[in-house]
């Protein structure tokens, strides 16, 4: 009894044990007591928990790696409930709100008005049918700049096995601008082709007019006919140059 630590009976502690083959192991020890025949006896139960501790260590490392990946990922990972309330967000680039401040806020309010209804419809499909939906939305930052996001939203099990939605958004603003520039270039190219075709047809008409005017000038019926032919030729040349 004198060797028993002065702790409450039934306590548990982690100790380092030594197997008979010489290697150390982590063990969980528990001390108990009972009285028999007026005498007090103590019991000690030692259980090897090395594998459990190793599994816990690996799980913790895995969780830390996953957290590091999620928090440093270029995409936004947002977990939402059915009312679009933020339950978790991996990061915030907004100077107006920290990541902790965004938790508990309704996320769709940050989208441009024309995209709020499609986003709400996508969430409804996730919670009602378990769909996975892709969409493109834009949001206005606190500096008033418009940012475009490619979004993929689908169902996941969250804490307590409740069904939530995972909203993965990638900033595609630069890509969107390039696409818009490409569309504008295509429009300008189409206008250029149209203008070129019109100019070609117009030039063909002028060539015919000038040809007939030259025939009149070569055989004028009167001085006034020659003057009219000269005026036609001059105007046609100016039109061809234009």
């Amino acid at each position: 009894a004198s060797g028993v630590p002065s702790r409450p009976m039934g306590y548990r502690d982690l100790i380092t044990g030594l197997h008979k083959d010489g290697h150390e192991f982590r063990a969980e020890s528990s001390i108990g007591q009972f009285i028999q025949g007026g005498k007090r006896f103590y019991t000690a139960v030692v259980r090897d928990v090395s594998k459990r501790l190793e599994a816990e260590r690996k799980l913790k490392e895995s969780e830390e790696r996953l957290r590091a990946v999620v928090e440093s990922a270029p995409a936004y990972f947002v977990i939402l409930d059915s009312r679009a309330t933020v339950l978790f967000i991996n990061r915030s680039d907004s100077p107006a709100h920290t990541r902790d401040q965004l938790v508990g806020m309704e996320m769709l309010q940050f989208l441009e008005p024309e995209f709020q209804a499609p986003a709400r419809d996508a969430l409804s499909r996730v919670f009602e049918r378990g769909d996975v939906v892709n969409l493109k939305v834009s949001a206005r930052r606190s500096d008033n700049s418009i940012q475009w996001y490619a979004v993929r939203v689908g169902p996941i099990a969250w804490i307590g096995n409740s069904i939530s939605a995972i909203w993965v958004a990638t900033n595609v603003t630069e890509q969107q601008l390039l696409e818009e520039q490409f569309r504008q270039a295509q429009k300008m190219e189409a206008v250029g082709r149209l203008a070129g075709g019109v100019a070609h047809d117009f030039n063909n008409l002028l060539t015919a007019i000038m040809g007939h005017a030259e025939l009149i000038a070569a055989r004028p019926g009167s001085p006034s006919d020659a003057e009219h032919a000269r005026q036609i030729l001059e105007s046609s040349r100016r039109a061809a140059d234009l």
Side-chain angles (χ1 to χ4, degrees):
S2 61
V4 176
S6 57
R7 298 191 185 184
M9 291 302 100
Y11 82 90
R12 293 184 177 183
D13 201 2
L14 284 176
I15 62 173
T16 300
L18 189 67
H19 271 290
K20 62 182 179 180
D21 61 6
H23 80 271
E24 293 183 347
F25 66 96
R26 296 292 285 167
E28 184 181 73
S29 65
S30 60
I31 304 295
Q33 65 174 328
F34 66 94
I35 298 175
Q36 184 176 2
K39 293 183 179 181
R40 188 184 304 273
F41 295 88
Y42 295 92
T43 61
V45 177
V46 179
R47 182 175 56 182
D48 188 339
V49 292
S50 300
K51 291 183 179 180
R52 189 195 76 190
L53 293 177
E54 179 64 15
E56 291 175 351
R57 184 187 66 80
K58 289 182 178 180
L59 177 61
K60 184 178 180 181
E61 288 181 353
S62 177
E63 290 175 343
E64 290 176 349
R65 282 196 299 268
L66 178 60
R67 184 179 297 108
V69 169
V70 169
E71 291 181 353
S72 62
Y76 295 87
F77 294 91
V78 189
I79 297 177
L80 304 170
D81 65 12
S82 59
R83 294 174 297 180
T85 303
V86 177
L87 304 177
F88 167 85
I89 185 168
N90 63 328
R91 62 191 180 87
S92 171
D93 291 340
S94 170
H97 300 94
T98 66
R99 186 175 67 174
D100 291 338
Q101 289 173 335
L102 289 172
V103 174
M105 299 181 70
E106 199 269 346
M107 193 195 69
L108 301 188
Q109 65 178 301
F110 299 107
L111 302 183
E112 288 291 274
E114 63 267 31
F115 295 108
Q116 292 182 12
R120 198 171 298 280
D121 178 67
L123 283 175
S124 297
R125 290 170 57 187
V126 169
F127 283 97
E128 293 173 8
R129 303 201 298 264
D131 290 350
V132 176
V133 185
N134 295 303
L135 64 158
K136 184 179 286 188
V137 300
S138 68
R140 188 177 298 273
R141 286 184 171 177
S142 57
D143 61 2
N144 215 36
S145 65
I146 297 295
Q147 301 293 306
W148 285 88
Y149 299 92
V151 176
R152 184 177 179 87
V153 56
I156 62 165
W158 187 232
I159 300 173
N161 296 323
S162 62
I163 300 301
S164 302
I166 176 70
W167 174 288
V168 182
T170 304
N171 192 313
V172 293
T173 303
E174 184 175 351
Q175 177 183 336
Q176 184 73 14
L177 292 175
L178 289 174
E179 290 177 358
E180 183 61 29
Q181 291 173 2
F182 180 67
R183 284 192 292 269
Q184 291 296 331
Q186 285 182 314
K187 291 178 182 178
M188 294 303 296
E189 183 181 359
V191 171
R193 286 197 299 268
L194 176 63
V198 171
H200 179 74
D201 293 341
F202 186 55
N203 198 55
N204 288 341
L205 292 173
L206 291 177
T207 300
I209 293 171
M210 293 171 70
H212 288 292
E214 287 171 350
L215 291 175
I216 294 174
R219 297 189 299 274
S222 67
S224 62
D225 289 341
E227 177 59 21
H228 289 317
R230 189 187 69 77
Q231 292 290 343
I232 292 172
L233 284 170
E234 179 64 26
S235 296
S236 298
R237 291 191 184 100
R238 287 201 303 269
D241 290 339
L242 178 62

